[in-house]
Amino acid sequence: MSPCTWGLWRSAIHTLKTFRASPSARGLCIPTRAVCDAETIFALSSGHGRCGVAVVRVSGPASSMVLRNMAGLTQALPPPRTALLRRISDPQSKELLDRGLVLWFKGPHSFTGEDSAEFHIHGGPAVITAVLQALGSLEGVRPAEAGEFTRRAFHAGKLGLTEVEGLGDLIHAETEAQRRQALRQMDGELGRLYQDWSYRLKRCLAHVEAFIDFSEDELIEDGVLNQVDSSVRQLETEIERHLKDERRGERLRTGVQVVIAGATNAGKSSLLNTLCQRPAAIVSPIAGTTRDIVETSLDIGGFPVLLSDTAGLRDSSDSVEREGVRRARQRVEQADLTLVVVDSTQLPPDPQLVPAFLQEYLSTVLPSPEAGMKAASDRVLLVLNKSDLVPEEQRERTEGELREITGLPPACFLSCYTSTGLEDFLTVLQSRVKTLCGDPLSGAPSLTQARHRAHLQQSVAALNQYHQYRDQDLALAAEGVRLALTHLGRITGRVGAEEILDIIFRDFCIGK
Amino acid sequence: MLAQKLHLLRHNVLSFVSSRTGSDLTRRQYDVIVVGGGHAGTEAAAAAARLGAETLLITQKIMTIGALSCNPSLGGVGKGQLVREVDALDGLCGRAGDWAGVHFSILNRSKGPAVWGPRAQLDRERYRQFIQSELLSTPRLTVLEGSVDELLVSQPNPEEPGHHRVTGIRLVDGSHPILSSSVVLTTGTFLSGSLFMGQTTSPGGRMGDAQSCAGLSYTLKETLGLRVGRLRTGTPPRIVKESVDLSLAQLQAPDKQPTPFSFLNTHTHCKPEEQLPCYLIHTTPGVERVVRESVHLNCHIQQDAKGPRYCPSIESRVLRFPGRRHQVWLEPEGLTSDLLYPQGLSMTMPPDVQLRLLREIPALHRAEIRTPGYGVQYDFVCPTQLTPSLQVKSTQGLFLAGQINGTTGYEEAAAQGLWAGVNAGRTALSLPPMALSRTQSYIGVLIDDLVGRGVTEPYRMFTSRAEFRTYLRPDNADLRLTPRGFEEVGCVTLQRYKKAVSVRDGLQEALMALQSVALSSTRWREKLGNISLSENKSTTLNGLDLLQYKDVSFEMLASVFPECLSQYFEYSQRLKIEAVYRPHCEKQSREMERIRREESLSLPSDMDYLSLPVSLSQEVREILDRVRPNTLGAATRLPGMTPAGIIHLLNYVLRTGQRNRHTEHRNRSSQKEGEKGQLCASNIPISQ
């Protein structure tokens, strides 16, 4: 934020004065600004999918160090804002990763206002992953959080008032994308693993805190700390082993996640089969034929797509079908794009009633109608299937009506049986997928992996601090566990002080 | 200092104080009126007076000013930090503790200086006398015995419905109103308080005292429309010392060398060898049996008002964790007292059952009870209705501190009392209110937790509540708070300020001297003998680096470089602590800066979140509407708040601030002083 903006804040309004130490009276611990460096962050700034060039951005005080190390610039840095063709190599192993353009931006003349660098590298997933992992291995450099580049630009006063208006939406979009990404992974084996670590670490921290805050007055068994010692050691071993395991437990699903959802017998499985041009899913006139998720990988307009067919949504007494419906709803929540399939023969014959009908239909399929149609309409397409069974004239009038109406996602008439309308539908679908692939966060597992790795490595380092200080200073040892939990929390969700206290009071009788 | 105090106490202080009654008050108008003479009230009155405000303290009984209603002790883990901070801001409780303490110990001695808990057992009589004589000798402070019947507030301005201004109080005796610009309410458990023992219930806030505050309760709830909740607490029976078989208890000795609470004191009033011991005993299965058999006779534990999870009665301890031995401490009540206080045996059953229960414990098999234990249920005002200056948002000039805000403990009360007194004084003197940052003090953590999150059970301080525990240490409270307390707040006397500045400068110099002495690690090993240094041989280490090592003391370094270090011997412990924590605090400084920045952006108290024209989800709107955070920082810490929501709020406040500036420009003549609607402001230079 620019000095002038802050001046404006200050002069405009009354002050709630915050009592705080001035630099002269800061006690002895608060370092001067020169010591207090911001962290350096990196992220893949271009989209993924089939693209020639990928752009990786780095911002923060260590940017020049990053550039020197990765682009082999032992001498001077290149002149600012000038592209330079360099060999890009791993700073540790010196292994060649790619040849590409590097750019240097000296702060404040950069997007974030900080020292920044850009690497323009080849767009293949292997190259991108290698470069991101090399960056993550440098000390003081970590993957950016959602919206962090933009936030830094904002704080540096690089965004004007009008741009700030869009910032909330932007960060919302980015956090949403990351949340969906996280949901997908948390759903699987990897998620369960992280959750388990997080839970065990929370217990460790709670027990150390209980020992600090209560053991003088209360019967906290002496064995508590020994238990923590062995739990921490066990966790360290497990996380380290996990980091070494190249397979990393499970393959992350790549590509834009497109999910087909809707009522039973609307023709969802037929749509899947039509799109992948093979009978991947069983179709039948019996409602409730599909019970589990049927997944298939597709290439739509050059972009990788993971298409899932789900069970029809209805209340069922069959426990297997109910589980299918639960999975379907979960999948819709994690989707980048949802194709909501409607049986056109069920549409009201009066075209004027159709929008309300569809609105109602959507609210039963989509997770939170609350979230507003605006956000959802970017991520939803309505497919009005079985168009061959609707009279031509009614279809045209309905199409006319839907063109007039706003607030609904785009709707396409389609017949999976006759393939009528397929061309138009594919055009709409392609443009949506293309937009989604421009978003570097949707389904970019390499970036997510780099984030996870970085946080896990820092978690292990923090756990080392626990052992280092265990016998010397328990406050500093606890700080290590807290830090480890914070890093794990960046993957699984944050942990607050109250949660720790809850565990303390559950596990111990604190009578004092 | 202590000798002076002794001299004062020899006079018949008490009769002098109580001679002031309502009828012969010298004035009918004060800057600040403080209602209540407990830990919060006495700190509030003293702080307001130190600030320069003409202050009146009203209490039901002058004799009970400074009384320790429950346990005879001060400090502990987390609480000791609060005492040190109150002292650093020139409050009373630290010095009173040094005067009245009869058993001093630093808890957590082996767990690191950041979590050391200075604690003392107190002589109740001495504590009360110290506080009373201190208040008496405070200029600009008048003490009055009386009961407050009514809080006087102005009718709300039609343009600002629901917003009042305090104008004073009226006493029960129906005399003239006493006017003031600010009122601090520290009514403890007396707000709609009920006492419970066995199956009997009686109105009141403390056994033996008049019930009160019916009028006050009415004003707070009905006139001001404040939301209140109900909490409960309890106190144990007091046991006749002679009747206890101490040979069956485990002796707990105090520290050989007592450490004073106050930065002003080098030693405590009680000589090391005069200290009294505590005793440790344990509950037996018989205790559990008595509790179970008497549940039906025990109203208090059958009610569902919320009690604390950490200071539970013996009933809830054995019911929640059955089949265990629970610890009970027998604490001295004072040098001349013939009573013992059984910490951990708070109970509310009928007195005869209490006796039966005690006698199930071997050391107490012949125990006699002087006064039985009882429970208290009382109203508290949901503290999210306060600003960080502890002022009621909707009522200008009304401040609340202590148990009325849902906290428990003397230290928590004293800390809030001091800060409410500071702000009541500032308001009366037309100075802007002040907030303490949670990055700078436990007092800041306490107040921020209260006003930002509210309470669901009596709130007590723990060190784990402070994110920056390794910086908020008991050893450096003076450096963190005293200079600012003098320079900005005005609640610190010149004498204390000078002392703190000289300590600060001395430490600064000593740290520089330590950094100026550097040797290779090989040379250090030669000089200091067999110490384990992890650095390789050629690395150069300075004195400060070396002091971080577990086995290295300042004295060892001073013996190697006597000419430049020996003059700093008095700081040796503080230097050692500083050296160990410094690198960690530096790592945290960025996070501290961020929190401080967000704390400095205040949100208007009357913001209509439900219809704010920005894109916020309904869920977030409801959270904001319910809690009404004071600052952007508090909003950030709300569970359920999203990063995008924060940015939208920031953006809205930014734009509104700009619009207001234009309006202000046009209507400057029509602006009035102290208009509410402060949007956001910062006294912190942010972008650098």
Side-chain angles (χ1 to χ4, degrees):
Chain A
M1 182 157 303
S2 72
C4 100
T5 321
W6 283 105
L8 181 152
W9 287 39
R10 255 178 287 175
S11 62
I13 33 247
H14 298 280
T15 311
L16 175 84
K17 240 181 151 192
T18 304
F19 172 71
R20 57 179 280 275
S22 73
S24 66
R26 274 188 170 179
L28 295 163
C29 258
I30 304 302
T32 55
R33 186 158 290 274
V35 186
C36 156
D37 280 339
E39 290 167 286
T40 298
I41 53 172
F42 66 90
L44 177 68
S45 294
S46 53
H48 79 295
R50 194 179 292 170
C51 57
V53 176
V55 178
V56 176
R57 255 183 185 166
V58 181
S59 176
S63 297
S64 61
M65 178 275 285
V66 170
L67 205 55
R68 280 176 215 276
N69 273 312
M70 304 255 311
L73 294 158
T74 46
Q75 305 291 311
L77 288 166
R81 300 183 299 284
T82 311
L84 202 65
L85 182 66
R86 300 292 304 177
R87 293 158 68 91
I88 295 164
S89 51
D90 187 294
Q92 258 89 47
S93 67
K94 305 295 170 204
E95 179 196 348
L96 180 67
L97 303 175
D98 196 15
R99 267 165 68 87
L101 295 179
V102 298
L103 288 102
W104 161 242
F105 302 87
K106 177 98 188 86
H109 303 292
S110 68
F111 171 64
T112 55
E114 304 173 319
D115 284 357
S116 304
E118 279 181 15
F119 295 87
H120 296 209
I121 52 177
H122 289 98
V127 173
I128 297 174
T129 307
V131 169
L132 292 175
Q133 290 200 351
L135 280 165
S137 71
L138 287 165
E139 192 168 333
V141 184
R142 63 167 174 82
E145 300 290 319
E148 201 170 359
F149 276 91
T150 324
R151 242 188 340 252
R152 287 192 179 196
F154 172 66
H155 283 301
K158 288 282 174 180
L159 301 179
L161 262 180
T162 37
E163 288 162 290
V164 172
E165 301 230 11
L167 184 64
D169 292 326
L170 184 64
I171 292 186
H172 180 69
E174 288 184 34
T175 37
E176 264 303 293
Q178 240 183 37
R179 191 187 61 81
R180 290 199 305 274
Q181 178 78 18
L183 270 177
R184 277 172 213 153
Q185 286 162 15
M186 288 305 120
D187 191 24
E189 209 178 301
L190 202 55
R192 277 193 294 279
L193 185 66
Y194 293 162
Q195 298 284 11
D196 172 56
W197 285 342
S198 174
Y199 174 74
R200 282 155 62 194
L201 260 183
K202 255 185 264 177
R203 270 184 72 101
C204 286
L205 183 57
H207 288 195
V208 179
E209 294 293 0
F211 194 72
I212 289 177
D213 273 334
F214 303 105
S215 67
E216 292 278 342
D217 292 309
E218 273 312 310
L219 274 176
I220 305 271
E221 302 75 14
D222 291 337
V224 160
L225 279 192
N226 295 335
Q227 278 172 29
V228 173
D229 289 349
S230 59
S231 300
V232 166
R233 201 157 279 130
Q234 178 70 27
L235 274 162
E236 262 181 295
T237 319
E238 285 179 35
I239 300 176
E240 266 165 356
R241 198 188 305 141
H242 175 78
L243 279 167
K244 281 192 201 118
D245 181 1
E246 285 306 316
R247 286 167 295 132
R248 252 158 258 134
E250 123 184 89
R251 194 179 64 87
L252 296 174
R253 291 194 291 268
T254 62
V256 176
Q257 313 274 316
V258 178
V259 173
I260 305 175
T264 47
N265 245 0
K268 297 178 295 298
S269 301
S270 303
L271 181 61
L272 177 93
N273 291 344
T274 306
L275 286 174
C276 66
Q277 295 166 320
R278 66 187 167 90
I282 302 167
V283 290
S284 84
I286 302 162
T289 304
T290 308
R291 293 180 157 202
D292 202 351
I293 311 281
V294 179
E295 262 182 14
T296 176
S297 286
L298 285 181
D299 183 320
I300 293 184
F303 298 103
V305 166
L306 191 83
L307 190 63
S308 320
D309 179 25
T310 62
L313 301 170
R314 66 167 177 185
D315 293 329
S316 168
S317 55
D318 178 336
S319 63
V320 178
E321 190 175 350
R322 271 210 307 277
E323 175 59 20
V325 170
R326 191 192 66 79
R327 290 183 185 191
R329 293 202 182 277
Q330 193 177 24
R331 195 52 76 90
V332 170
E333 203 167 326
Q334 302 166 0
D336 292 317
L337 180 64
T338 308
L339 306 180
V340 178
V341 183
V342 187
D343 179 349
S344 332
T345 58
Q346 306 287 321
L347 291 176
D350 180 357
Q352 291 198 337
L353 299 178
V354 169
F357 172 86
L358 290 176
Q359 200 72 263
E360 172 68 27
Y361 190 87
L362 282 172
S363 70
T364 61
V365 175
L366 298 177
S368 54
E370 263 273 34
M373 284 301 148
K374 184 184 164 293
S377 65
D378 293 342
R379 302 203 288 112
V380 177
L381 288 181
L382 274 164
V383 180
L384 310 179
N385 191 25
K386 306 188 190 176
S387 62
D388 52 312
L389 299 180
V390 177
E392 176 94 16
E393 183 252 4
Q394 186 196 334
R395 203 188 68 219
E396 274 168 13
R397 277 176 47 218
T398 307
E399 270 176 333
E401 181 69 28
L402 288 174
R403 264 196 296 276
E404 299 293 307
I405 222 83
T406 54
L408 271 183
C412 304
F413 272 103
L414 173 70
S415 164
C416 290
Y417 184 64
T418 63
S419 291
T420 320
L422 186 62
E423 282 294 304
D424 291 346
F425 171 66
L426 280 177
T427 314
V428 178
L429 180 61
Q430 251 186 47
S431 82
R432 276 301 139 105
V433 168
K434 199 171 155 189
T435 317
L436 283 167
C437 278
D439 174 358
L441 282 160
S442 59
S446 54
L447 185 64
T448 316
Q449 276 175 1
R451 264 170 49 76
H452 287 188
R453 277 190 88 76
H455 287 308
L456 292 177
Q457 275 159 352
Q458 280 162 316
S459 255
V460 172
L463 289 178
N464 264 319
Q465 183 180 329
Y466 172 81
H467 296 303
Q468 189 191 340
Y469 287 103
R470 157 73 163 82
D471 296 318
Q472 183 186 349
D473 191 308
L474 209 53
L476 289 176
E479 210 59 52
V481 183
R482 190 182 290 262
L483 206 62
L485 191 55
T486 308
H487 282 296
L488 211 53
R490 294 264 158 82
I491 307 178
T492 59
R494 310 271 159 123
V495 182
E498 281 301 321
E499 205 175 331
I500 299 301
L501 286 171
D502 285 342
I503 299 183
I504 293 180
F505 293 125
R506 198 191 57 216
D507 288 6
F508 301 103
C509 172
I510 308 294
K512 170 78 182 160
Chain B
M1 175 78 204
L2 289 172
Q4 253 178 8
K5 191 61 62 191
L6 198 61
H7 177 71
L8 248 175
L9 287 174
R10 287 207 184 103
H11 290 80
N12 195 346
V13 166
L14 301 181
S15 65
F16 181 31
V17 178
S18 48
S19 72
R20 299 193 194 175
T21 61
S23 52
D24 54 73
L25 268 184
T26 48
R27 48 202 297 164
R28 287 277 168 209
Q29 170 126 32
Y30 288 84
D31 292 327
V32 175
I33 294 176
V34 177
V35 182
H39 297 269
T42 51
E43 294 289 356
R50 284 202 302 281
L51 234 72
E54 247 345 294
T55 305
L56 177 69
L57 173 70
I58 303 176
T59 176
Q60 288 188 355
K61 269 195 222 163
I62 285 182
M63 280 300 288
T64 61
I65 288 181
L68 301 161
S69 314
C70 198
N71 53 320
S73 68
L74 186 73
V77 180
K79 288 165 171 277
Q81 272 85 337
L82 284 172
V83 176
R84 295 282 278 179
E85 291 184 0
V86 168
D87 181 69
L89 291 168
D90 229 350
L92 311 173
C93 66
R95 284 177 296 132
D98 290 344
W99 174 259
V102 293
H103 171 124
F104 289 85
S105 61
I106 301 267
L107 305 185
N108 272 352
R109 181 74 86 169
S110 64
K111 295 173 200 155
V115 294
W116 282 356
R119 184 171 191 274
Q121 297 300 141
L122 305 173
D123 181 303
R124 289 183 190 276
E125 212 39 43
R126 281 192 182 180
Y127 192 88
R128 205 161 55 85
Q129 283 170 358
F130 183 96
I131 296 284
Q132 290 183 2
S133 78
E134 189 72 24
L135 290 184
L136 189 73
S137 58
T138 304
R140 292 180 294 274
L141 177 60
T142 310
V143 180
L144 173 68
E145 193 166 279
S147 272
V148 175
D149 184 41
E150 196 187 350
L151 183 70
L152 303 176
V153 293
S154 67
Q155 284 305 311
N157 181 338
E159 284 170 25
E160 302 168 276
H163 285 266
H164 298 261
R165 178 196 285 268
V166 149
T167 57
I169 56 106
R170 193 193 303 278
L171 294 176
V172 169
D173 64 14
S175 55
H176 298 287
I178 309 174
L179 303 180
S180 69
S181 320
S182 317
V183 171
V184 186
L185 293 184
T186 66
T187 50
T189 55
F190 283 83
L191 209 60
S192 308
S194 326
L195 304 174
F196 288 79
M197 193 193 293
Q199 290 170 295
T200 60
T201 305
S202 54
R206 180 169 56 196
M207 210 58 106
D209 285 315
Q211 52 156 313
S212 84
C213 298
L216 269 183
S217 283
Y218 183 84
T219 320
L220 292 179
K221 283 190 248 183
E222 305 302 326
T223 314
L224 302 181
L226 294 177
R227 264 179 296 122
V228 301
R230 202 142 175 89
L231 292 174
R232 68 177 177 192
T233 183
T235 196
R238 310 299 146 84
I239 303 173
V240 178
K241 193 174 180 177
E242 274 190 338
S243 69
V244 179
D245 187 349
L246 290 173
S247 67
L248 296 175
Q250 195 182 329
L251 188 87
Q252 297 287 315
D255 287 355
K256 287 205 170 59
Q257 191 54 52
T259 311
F261 287 108
S262 175
F263 287 99
L264 294 181
N265 290 336
T266 52
H267 59 278
T268 58
H269 179 52
C270 184
K271 293 199 179 64
E273 64 278 11
E274 286 169 2
Q275 295 184 88
L276 301 174
C278 291
Y279 301 89
L280 176 62
I281 55 177
H282 291 94
T283 60
T284 58
V287 168
E288 193 172 324
R289 200 182 57 241
V290 175
V291 168
R292 290 191 186 283
E293 283 168 7
S294 62
V295 168
H296 64 288
L297 300 172
N298 201 332
C299 288
H300 192 61
I301 59 165
Q302 293 161 5
Q303 309 243 339
D304 60 16
K306 286 183 182 113
R309 288 177 294 183
Y310 37 77
C311 190
S313 58
I314 188 65
E315 292 95 326
S316 45
R317 290 172 85 181
V318 301
L319 294 175
R320 269 183 42 213
F321 292 91
R324 289 197 200 179
R325 279 197 333 161
H326 298 276
Q327 286 185 331
V328 174
W329 299 89
L330 297 176
E331 303 177 346
E333 293 245 321
L335 289 168
T336 54
S337 168
D338 62 342
L339 297 178
L340 285 174
Y341 177 94
Q343 174 77 264
L345 281 185
S346 145
M347 55 180 84
T348 56
M349 53 198 70
D352 58 314
V353 186
Q354 294 191 16
L355 193 66
R356 248 174 65 210
L357 184 147
L358 291 185
R359 292 185 171 182
E360 291 291 339
I361 299 172
L364 304 181
H365 67 277
R366 285 184 291 111
E368 292 299 334
I369 291 177
R370 175 69 52 81
T371 50
Y374 60 90
V376 188
Q377 294 190 6
Y378 56 96
D379 279 355
F380 73 100
V381 175
C382 299
T384 50
Q385 301 166 101
L386 307 180
T387 70
S389 65
L390 293 176
Q391 181 170 212
V392 175
K393 284 177 187 169
S394 63
T395 311
Q396 205 194 336
L398 180 61
F399 295 82
L400 308 181
Q403 279 168 303
I404 193 172
N405 289 340
T407 62
T408 172
Y410 303 154
E411 303 80 0
E412 288 81 356
Q416 292 170 70
L418 181 137
W419 203 244
V422 159
N423 278 303
R426 290 183 67 89
T427 303
L429 302 173
S430 304
L431 295 166
M434 285 187 132
L436 274 167
S437 167
R438 66 184 294 128
T439 64
Q440 284 293 317
S441 63
Y442 274 83
I443 308 180
V445 172
L446 166 70
I447 296 175
D448 187 55
D449 281 352
L450 289 179
V451 307
R453 277 194 273 230
V455 299
T456 52
E457 64 181 328
Y459 181 99
R460 177 189 149 179
M461 184 49 73
F462 306 116
T463 67
S464 48
R465 296 194 192 269
E467 298 92 330
F468 305 109
R469 181 164 68 184
T470 51
Y471 175 53
L472 307 185
R473 304 190 305 266
D475 66 280
N476 66 7
D478 55 342
L479 303 181
R480 288 187 275 121
L481 297 169
T482 306
R484 292 278 117 179
F486 178 81
E487 291 160 10
E488 283 187 14
V489 187
C491 66
V492 170
T493 53
L494 183 63
Q495 177 211 5
R496 183 187 286 267
Y497 173 65
K498 280 185 174 161
K499 174 151 188 189
V501 168
S502 101
V503 169
R504 183 182 72 197
D505 296 348
L507 280 168
Q508 224 48 294
E509 266 177 46
L511 287 171
M512 280 187 324
L514 275 168
Q515 280 169 310
S516 72
V517 297
L519 292 175
S520 71
S521 37
T522 320
R523 294 273 292 141
W524 277 118
R525 277 191 204 100
E526 285 168 24
K527 298 259 184 198
L528 294 175
N530 202 15
I531 55 161
S532 55
L533 298 179
S534 51
E535 275 72 12
N536 63 37
K537 284 175 188 167
S538 56
T539 315
T540 306
L541 294 172
N542 67 37
L544 196 55
D545 297 331
L546 217 70
L547 203 48
Q548 286 176 34
Y549 285 91
K550 190 183 172 188
D551 305 322
V552 179
S553 70
F554 180 79
E555 286 79 359
M556 288 160 74
L557 300 179
S559 70
V560 179
F561 293 98
E563 66 292 349
C564 55
L565 295 180
S566 57
Q567 53 188 307
Y568 302 115
F569 264 128
E570 59 174 313
Y571 303 125
S572 58
Q573 189 186 45
R574 292 186 70 158
L575 288 168
K576 171 74 188 171
I577 297 174
E578 187 63 38
V580 171
Y581 286 107
R582 175 175 279 244
H584 302 276
C585 295
E586 282 174 358
K587 271 193 222 154
Q588 288 190 322
S589 63
R590 210 175 133 253
E591 179 67 6
M592 287 168 85
E593 192 58 36
R594 185 186 67 75
I595 291 191
R596 237 179 269 147
R597 200 157 55 189
E598 285 170 354
E599 277 176 344
S600 70
L601 303 174
S602 60
L603 298 169
S605 57
D606 54 355
M607 192 124 101
D608 183 2
Y609 290 106
L610 297 178
S611 64
L612 207 63
V614 296
S615 109
L616 287 173
S617 76
Q618 193 57 28
E619 194 192 346
V620 167
R621 281 174 196 276
E622 278 164 15
I623 295 171
L624 287 168
D625 183 61
R626 196 177 63 241
V627 182
R628 314 203 73 79
N630 291 287
T631 64
L632 201 67
T636 312
R637 282 187 289 281
L638 289 176
M641 197 66 202
T642 60
I646 290 294
I647 293 290
H648 280 305
L649 267 186
L650 181 70
N651 180 32
Y652 175 77
V653 166
L654 191 77
R655 279 186 298 148
T656 321
Q658 190 185 38
R659 202 163 52 231
N660 273 20
R661 191 177 64 133
H662 292 313
T663 326
E664 198 176 326
H665 207 67
R666 279 201 306 274
N667 311 336
R668 187 156 289 168
S669 53
S670 65
Q671 290 278 310
K672 58 178 192 290
E673 183 66 28
E675 183 189 9
K676 68 162 183 51
Q678 58 271 51
L679 281 167
C680 56
S682 161
N683 63 340
I684 298 173
I686 297 221
S687 58
Q688 287 180 32

